[in-house]
Amino acid sequence: MFQILVADSISGAGLLPLTEMENARLIQKKTDDPEADLENIDALLVRSATTVDCELLDKMPRLQIIARAGVGVDNIDVAEATKRGIVVVNAPDGNTISTAEHTFAMMASLMRNIPQAHRTVKNLEWNRNSFIGNELFGKTLGIVGMGRIGSELAKRAKAFGMSISVYDPFLTKERAAKLAVESLPLEEVLKKADIITVHTPLTPQTKGLIDAKKIELTKKGVYFLNCARGGIINEKDLAEYIRNGHIAGAALDVFEEEPPFDNPLLRFDNVIVTPHLGASTREAQLNVATQVAEEVRLFLENKPVSNSINLPAMSKEIYDKIQPFHQLSKQIGLILSQCVTEGVQEISITYSGTVTELETSYLTKALLSGFFKNRIDIHVNEVNALLTAKERGITIGEKISVSGFGYANCISVAARNDKSEFIVRGTFIENYGPRIVFLNGFNIDFLPEGELLYIQHMDRPGVIGRVGKVLGDHSINIAAMQVGRKEAGGEAIMVLSFDKPLGESSFKLLEGQEDIVSIRNISL
């Protein structure tokens, strides 16, 4: 009999997959309730109220799975759970429709001044001429981020007769055509759109994505929406451009700091706000409860789950053998993701040497989880990696080769679209660790770890010296540096390793140096 603890308030109807199990007992109690019998709990279901940390896990020695009825897992120590072989699952798409609908409601309310008009009528005023609005019909909606929520929003906007221009650097032409949207560079979307809404995850790359420089590109009278994550739009810059009249209005459901009671944006009459309600519908709460309940049931029945946050539990013997290559695969995926900034149609993976003795399909999924990290708005792991690739129209190929490119083992990965191909090869050397040995046509040898800078340049005297001088002038210490070239005086690359991320000013200076072709930050 499995003991399942429901520690937070979760929809009873959503728990039906578990209540219908004959060999499971559902216990609805707080984790600090002495009657909860934590020592004998096999599965734990929580929302955001319960913190699942090391202290709680110590009290639950039998725990096999933690289910978060929602998207975020900030209240769960996933790393500690992984160490203990505890699977963590969530409900990544349970609130997709809810958030898309809320965004659309905010957009319509913003354009028609509904909250402002509502307030005056409640105050017994009748000022019709003060609230003349604008129609959605015929307007261009700019969507930044075309994941599940962005895609659902586009469908609704098209039904209202809007034109859709989108920016998503990882959106392929085929998927854009299927969605019937116009895929453009970010700058072009900003210039063209009458209304701009953001739907990306909050990552170091997207934090402050929309700042003063970007807002300056937009039309006078543009509208902005953020129902995704606070911080994607620079709130200080947003407030300044509302103040000077360039932005006609904004609708915000999320903020950098919540609650946002000291936020100057609250002082503007043409800014409408809600208290992070994107996922707050009865249907969404039922959906997330049902999703995680079904996941827990599948797991307890020894069937695959589709929304695992961490690695599935495995025997120590298998784990020890596959772990070095698992980590190498994920690092190769991360490198590809950060070096290839346009859409990808195909990812081809070739295994050779001793690595072929392992379960390579698991390594392929690990590689894809690294590739999709920070590219899309859902968490991707070894369980849902292939499905995620399929949903985005990316073909995945895996093959075994007798050629190890001169190494005892090798993982070679090519990311392709109709214009270009980018290849990364890595190997794991016993007592030496993982190494990247081939990058974009160049033989090289570097440790895939930490903060890296990948520079393509011409092999001319003084290039390396100029790079070193810029870094030295900014007191930036180079931890390691590797170079590769095809022929003297031709194309070349260098990969530099730092103790901390390179600042924007240093990056810009390096980018402008003579004979530098391109630069990429790589964070591993």
Side-chain angles (χ1 to χ4, degrees), residues 353-413:
T354 56
V355 67
T356 63
E357 300 168 8
L358 303 172
E359 182 54 64
T360 56
S361 63
Y362 178 70
L363 300 179
T364 294
K365 294 169 187 175
L367 189 145
L368 292 175
S369 72
F371 177 78
F372 283 120
K373 184 178 181 181
N374 298 332
R375 286 180 83 104
I376 59 177
D377 57 357
I378 63 169
H379 182 87
V380 180
N381 55 33
E382 287 75 5
V383 177
N384 63 357
L386 290 175
L387 178 61
T388 302
K390 181 180 179 181
E391 288 177 343
R392 281 154 180 79
I394 301 174
T395 300
I396 306 301
E398 178 184 320
K399 64 180 180 180
I400 304 298
S401 172
V402 294
S403 171
F405 302 100
Y407 296 92
N409 61 75
C410 185
I411 302 175
S412 180
V413 187

Side-chain angles (χ1 to χ4, degrees), residues 168-230:
D168 190 321
F170 315 116
L171 181 67
T172 63
K173 288 194 301 184
E174 290 78 10
R175 180 163 169 77
K178 185 176 181 180
L179 294 169
V181 298
E182 181 184 33
S183 180
L184 297 170
L186 178 58
E187 291 73 14
E188 294 303 313
V189 171
L190 296 175
K191 290 176 183 177
K192 190 172 184 178
D194 300 300
I195 305 166
I196 297 164
T197 179
V198 294
H199 295 283
T200 71
L202 182 63
T203 69
Q205 290 74 33
T206 62
K207 184 173 176 60
L209 177 66
I210 307 297
D211 57 10
K213 291 181 180 178
K214 298 293 194 309
I215 296 172
E216 193 67 40
L217 299 172
T218 62
K219 299 177 180 179
K220 181 175 173 59
V222 70
Y223 292 85
F224 275 93
L225 297 97
N226 186 2
C227 296
R229 293 288 186 270

